Amino acid sequence: MKKLPGEILLHFAKKESRLVCGMMSGTSADSIDLAFCRIKGAGLPSKREKGAELVLQHFYSHKMPAFLADHMKNIPSLGVKEIAELDVQIAEAFAEAFKTGLEEAKLESDEVDFISSHGQTLYHHSRQEGVRSASLQLGNGDILSSRSGVPVISNFRVKDIAAGGEGAPLTPYADAILFKSSEKRRAVLNLGGIANITILSEDRNEIIGFDTGPANAPLDRLARILSDNSMDFDVDGKMASKGKVNESLLKRLLDQDLYLRLAPPKSTGFEIYGDDFVEKAKQLHGTFDYNLMATLLSFVVHSIHLAVETFVPKTRMFDELIIAGGGARNPETVRSLKEVFAPIPVLVSDTLGIPSFAREAMAFAILGNDAVFGLPTSLPSVTGAVAGKCLGSWSFPD
């Protein structure tokens, strides 16, 4: 007899551990990342409880089909029909990535308890004045569950928005598990398309987290322009290293950016720091060149430092800054962050056993795991919601 959804989730909760596949595609839309994670227990660590304990069994990055990546790079041109189709097509691409990921990990689908999928963000409200809070991720959970043959939890952001929150960032909850320390006061900086920072605390009500501004989003867009679309990003920061910072432009960008002055809770996206931002910077600079790349990278680093100086209380200043995400693989970004934050040590998360490129997929595996137990996985101190909510919607195969 077929099990009811509640019986399936109860079965998961009773298991000693669960094998969860966290799935994520970032703002660059160039790949689908999969983290096969063995997770024991649930919840945030405390003085009395261990909380969730995670081991990354396998990581796999699957190239996003070119036609889907092209659509995501031209969002303003999409109509309702194209968006509806993309929701299905991205779910099917995720299912194909899952199938290939299983082969890479030497796993069978019935060994994976469920998929925890962030999907692909099409739109996020970005705290723009007069704009209603809303967020849309593509990659329909029902389609993904049907095609993969395993349960899926997805659509993580909407419930936090319904509770009055930003819907982002969501990963600070997972950071408190992945980077817990009783000896160090840690901050975690994720350098995806957007930069977000988490100031950790043993008290969930005192965890601070917010989007500081851009990270890779404008840099990747400029790299595509400078390479005539032959490169999706500035490999090893070589373009930026060949340029010289336009100091007057840097000052103007920092002074005129309204988002940087907004107090947390706040979140942003490529609606602010995408093509229009790069075009505006080019008009002020005069041309697309390596000097503009160096200037935008400097803007990213200084906007992060400014956010910490402005919005992190002195009593909460950290002993270590841990960086993760695609930007952690850009030597110029890492070098510049070390310069502005000295003498505070800046460490790439890999040195602590958390691969920088896997951290977000691992984070969503954690959010899905804790949803099995009905735990509130949003943090009001981060998103501004009226209360913590158990995030995500479940889908089950036929």
Side-chain angles (χ1 to χ4, degrees):
M1 184 176 178
K2 187 176 180 179
K3 287 185 178 181
L4 296 173
E7 293 176 313
I8 295 173
L9 296 182
L10 183 60
H11 169 69
F12 292 158
K14 288 182 175 179
K15 296 182 71 171
E16 182 178 352
S17 66
R18 289 149 296 284
L19 184 58
V20 183
C21 177
M23 300 188 72
M24 172 81 192
S25 179
T27 53
S28 63
D30 57 351
S31 65
I32 302 167
D33 294 335
L34 293 80
F36 293 92
C37 302
R38 175 64 63 183
I39 307 178
K40 182 178 180 181
L44 296 179
S46 68
K47 292 178 180 178
R48 291 179 294 179
E49 302 288 342
K50 286 185 177 180
E53 297 178 291
L54 176 147
V55 175
L56 176 64
Q57 286 196 186
H58 189 78
F59 176 81
Y60 168 65
S61 188
H62 185 88
K63 188 172 179 60
M64 181 73 80
F67 79 97
L68 293 178
D70 288 343
H71 277 311
M72 294 309 301
K73 292 167 186 173
N74 294 282
I75 290 173
S77 68
L78 299 178
V80 174
K81 174 177 176 290
E82 288 84 4
I83 292 171
E85 291 175 345
L86 274 174
D87 192 33
V88 175
Q89 292 168 324
I90 289 175
E92 291 176 338
F94 271 53
E96 185 62 30
F98 177 67
K99 178 182 176 182
T100 308
L102 287 174
E103 295 171 357
E104 288 268 337
K106 296 181 171 53
L107 292 168
E108 299 295 330
S109 61
D110 59 5
E111 294 181 80
V112 177
D113 289 300
F114 60 90
I115 292 169
S116 186
S117 173
H118 171 268
Q120 173 68 59
T121 295
L122 178 76
Y123 172 81
H124 189 75
H125 61 90
S126 298
R127 277 290 293 274
Q128 299 175 84
E129 187 176 351
V131 174
R132 181 183 291 273
S133 294
S135 190
L136 180 60
Q137 285 68 47
L138 302 183
N140 185 277
D142 289 331
I143 299 291
L144 177 53
S145 181
S146 177
R147 301 292 191 271
S148 65
V150 301
V152 171
I153 183 169
S154 60
N155 198 27
F156 283 93
R157 299 191 185 275
V158 175
K159 192 170 289 185
D160 184 76
I161 290 174
E166 289 281 308
L170 301 182
T171 53
Y173 181 93
D175 286 338
I177 294 169
L178 294 173
F179 299 103
K180 61 186 176 184
S181 173
S182 59
E183 301 173 353
K184 299 280 188 178
R185 294 183 299 174
R186 286 177 168 168
V188 183
L189 176 66
N190 184 63
L191 299 169
I194 298 300
N196 56 68
I197 194 164
T198 305
I199 313 300
L200 296 176
S201 171
E202 291 184 344
D203 182 347
R204 65 175 291 144
N205 297 315
E206 293 186 4
I207 295 173
I208 298 171
F210 58 93
D211 289 349
T212 63
N216 302 326
L219 306 183
D220 291 349
R221 281 159 171 77
L222 182 55
R224 287 195 289 271
I225 293 169
L226 293 176
S227 68
D228 196 23
N229 286 314
S230 67
M231 296 169 62
D232 286 326
F233 59 94
D234 181 9
V235 178
D236 293 331
K238 290 180 180 178
M239 293 180 182
S241 68
K242 294 176 182 176
K244 182 178 180 181
V245 174
N246 180 334
E247 296 292 348
S248 63
L249 174 58
L250 174 61
K251 183 178 186 303
R252 187 168 180 177
L253 291 175
L254 290 168
D255 289 345
Q256 294 183 355
D257 193 304
L258 297 178
Y259 179 81
L260 301 185
R261 295 200 288 272
L262 283 176
K266 62 178 182 174
S267 58
T268 189
F270 46 64
E271 293 76 21
I272 292 181
Y273 295 111
D275 293 327
D276 291 344
F277 176 81
V278 174
E279 178 60 29
K280 175 189 172 184
K282 174 256 185 181
Q283 290 176 3
L284 294 172
H285 180 62
T287 187
F288 291 121
D289 61 10
Y290 292 158
N291 292 336
L292 182 58
M293 180 66 83
T295 303
L296 291 187
L297 188 147
S298 187
F299 173 77
V300 166
V301 170
H302 281 85
S303 66
I304 293 166
H305 187 252
L306 178 65
V308 171
E309 282 195 324
T310 307
F311 300 120
V312 177
K314 300 300 181 187
T315 55
R316 298 295 310 281
M317 192 50 64
F318 40 87
D319 301 324
E320 284 183 342
L321 178 62
I322 302 163
I323 58 175
R329 288 176 280 176
N330 183 325
E332 284 299 300
T333 301
V334 176
R335 179 189 61 77
S336 298
L337 285 168
K338 288 181 176 180
E339 282 184 4
V340 298
F341 279 102
I344 296 172
V346 176
L347 311 174
V348 177
S349 66
D350 300 63
T351 62
L352 300 174
I354 307 296
S356 57
F357 47 80
R359 173 252 185 192
E360 284 193 285
M362 294 170 71
F364 279 92
I366 290 170
L367 293 178
N369 176 79
D370 285 14
V372 167
F373 296 85
L375 297 175
T377 49
S378 67
L379 297 170
S381 63
V382 171
T383 68
V386 295
K389 299 294 180 180
C390 182
L391 304 178
S393 302
W394 287 96
S395 302
F396 298 91
D398 299 333

